[in-house]
Amino acid sequence: MRVTVHGTGYVGLVTGACLAEVGNHVTCIDVDAGKIAALNRGEIPIYEPGLEDIVRRNAAAGRLKFTTDISSGVHHGSIQFIAVGTPKDEDGSADLRHVLTVARAIATDMRDYKVIITKSTVPVGTADKVRQAVEDVLAQRDPAPSFDVVSNPEFLKEGAAVGDFMKPDRIIVGSESQQATELLRALYEPFSRNRDKLLVMDVRSAELTKYAANAMLATKISFMNELANLAEICGADIEQVRLGIGSDPRIGFEFIYPGCGYGGSCFPKDVSALVRSAKEHQFDMQLVRAVEDVNDRQKRVLFTKIERFFGGDLRGRTVALWGLAFKPNTDDMREASSSVLMQQVWAAGGRVRAYDPKAAGEARRIHGERPDLDYCATAYEAVEGADVLAVVTEWQEFRSPDFELLRDRLAARAIFDGRNIYDPVLVQRMGLRYFGIGRNGPIP
């Protein structure tokens, strides 16, 4: 099939590459000429395991092309994916300007039937706005080509996006057109070999499903963080509590790991947009608002522990920071807990020595070069000259460190484990003080 993907960000690039991988001819469009030039050189703008190989292989085979020419892209594909960014606006709502701009561009150049698919995460009712934008442009033409608007939200986890696309749990299609539905069914057939994973529903339900999924997962995380904070106060161990409740099949073990807050491009933006969308319908989502508030507070928990440890004075102190990305296997630092912690340390007069396997370049882009921040080439370089260690991202290489080396290099001999990846008993046996999330009482 001939497919066009508008947007070469995280969602658009993975979508285009994976569709090409199963034999489709895909054209990816972006207004950023520099990004398109880099992609045509085989350079991938994001880190995502497995993506680089798929992009290069399909580009070499001629099935995957990158261009800034919107007109050629519109003419290329009968299926038009809109996968551009929907950043959080000042009021918390999703900014749909890029989505609607692409919709108008498709309408301007389309000459025959198109299925226009919103792949970006968008509020309920966006498909109606896309349809209206296209109709407004086509009203100038007689006869006007026919089209359908479909909602097909993505459910890709950063760090596992290629696997999620190639072997999806479900494929949500919001459509009121039999013709469009059959085209989507054919497009996704290679990804549904063992069973039919296509769930067809009305457009608005599909749009809400995406927000509902992310809000549900964010709720589980914030709930566990609340329990972890309570556990510290009352002397319980949240890890034992996690095992106790996770063993209940109605709850399960997924997304019940407490920590120093969630981040990324999805959960914070989507939770905020859902609250805002409800407000536009005069409905107050109290629970979802609380999820957002709890997460904002949780991102400051690690600093509070460090500050108390030093008696409220971080001047002249250095914190080694392991992990900058908001989660492992990505270089994405959007809404990352690491940025919140660093800003707090700097404001208190402290220094940071940071290491991340993939996100150092992104950190430099965000925070630049500054005298109170050292970018380190290895995890153990980061602890040289540091007083304490803060673990913010649970990268695999951090899970079994040399605790004797850490004890010898950390002046204050303390680890602040923001992801609860270490055994407190083992760490303390190695001569280090341990402070996790909900795993011990508050620092005196």
Side-chain angles (χ1 to χ4, degrees), residues 232-428:
E232 286 196 5
I233 296 170
C234 65
D237 182 351
I238 194 62
E239 177 63 11
Q240 301 303 315
V241 175
R242 183 185 70 82
L243 294 172
I245 66 174
S247 300
D248 186 331
R250 296 171 300 174
I251 298 173
F253 289 102
E254 296 293 326
F255 284 84
I256 61 169
Y257 291 88
C260 51
Y262 61 75
S265 63
C266 294
F267 286 7
K269 174 175 69 70
D270 293 351
V271 168
S272 179
L274 183 59
V275 170
R276 179 64 187 179
S277 180
K279 188 176 181 180
E280 290 175 356
H281 291 278
Q282 291 77 50
F283 181 68
D284 180 15
M285 300 192 77
Q286 297 179 15
L287 176 60
V288 182
R289 279 196 294 107
V291 168
E292 193 172 34
D293 293 342
V294 167
N295 189 59
D296 290 342
R297 183 180 65 192
Q298 196 69 17
K299 289 182 178 181
R300 303 178 183 278
V301 164
L302 216 54
F303 174 77
T304 300
K305 293 175 179 289
I306 296 171
E307 185 180 41
R308 286 176 181 167
F309 179 79
F310 286 118
D313 187 3
L314 265 71
R315 289 173 296 178
R317 300 291 187 176
T318 299
V319 176
L321 182 63
W322 282 5
L324 292 164
F326 85 94
K327 64 180 288 188
N329 297 319
T330 182
D331 60 355
D332 193 343
M333 284 186 63
R334 284 174 285 186
E335 305 279 350
S337 299
S338 62
S339 291
V340 176
L341 177 58
M342 288 193 292
Q343 293 286 358
Q344 289 182 292
V345 171
W346 294 331
R351 293 175 51 85
V352 174
R353 290 178 59 79
Y355 168 72
D356 188 284
K358 295 296 178 181
E362 181 67 2
R364 277 192 169 92
R365 185 188 69 81
I366 295 171
H367 300 291
E369 302 290 342
R370 47 186 299 159
D372 49 9
L373 172 60
D374 297 321
Y375 298 102
C376 300
T378 68
Y380 293 121
E381 180 187 333
V383 298
E384 292 178 4
D387 293 287
V388 298
L389 168 63
V391 181
V392 180
T393 313
E394 62 273 34
W395 284 96
Q396 201 70 29
E397 68 177 87
F398 300 159
R399 291 185 177 272
S400 296
D402 184 337
F403 287 114
E404 290 184 351
L405 184 149
L406 294 178
R407 180 193 62 206
D408 294 340
R409 289 191 181 179
L410 294 171
R413 294 187 172 183
I415 295 177
F416 293 83
D417 184 359
R419 299 299 174 187
N420 286 357
I421 61 176
Y422 302 133
D423 178 355
V425 175
L426 173 63
V427 174
Q428 290 165 5

Side-chain angles (χ1 to χ4, degrees), residues 46 74 174 221:
I46 57 175
V74 173
I221 295 171

Side-chain angles (χ1 to χ4, degrees), residues 110-231:
M110 61 188 284
R111 295 291 179 267
D112 50 17
Y113 174 75
K114 303 291 182 187
V115 180
I116 302 171
I117 304 169
T118 54
K119 196 71 172 172
S120 306
T121 301
V122 293
V124 175
T126 298
D128 294 337
K129 294 178 181 179
V130 168
R131 183 179 295 105
Q132 188 61 56
V134 173
E135 288 176 348
D136 288 346
V137 174
L138 294 181
Q140 324 266 334
R141 293 159 55 182
D142 186 22
S146 61
F147 70 96
D148 285 305
V149 178
V150 171
S151 173
N152 175 220
E154 53 85 15
F155 296 93
L156 307 176
K157 299 186 296 291
E158 291 196 42
V162 171
D164 286 345
F165 198 101
M166 300 301 291
K167 297 180 179 180
D169 298 317
R170 76 289 202 197
I171 302 166
I172 303 295
V173 172
S175 171
E176 276 96 29
S177 162
Q178 186 65 32
Q179 182 179 4
T181 300
E182 291 308 315
L183 277 173
L184 268 292
R185 192 177 296 279
L187 180 68
Y188 282 118
E189 195 275 336
F191 307 98
S192 302
R193 301 294 292 182
N194 62 342
R195 63 178 174 86
D196 185 5
K197 298 177 182 178
L198 214 71
L199 297 177
V200 181
M201 58 187 70
D202 64 273
V203 173
R204 287 186 169 234
S205 294
E207 291 172 332
L208 183 56
T209 297
K210 170 61 178 180
Y211 274 134
N214 280 352
M216 174 65 79
L217 297 175
T219 299
K220 294 181 73 174
I221 295 171
S222 282
F223 178 73
M224 285 304 294
N225 284 334
E226 285 277 72
L227 284 181
N229 296 334
L230 175 61

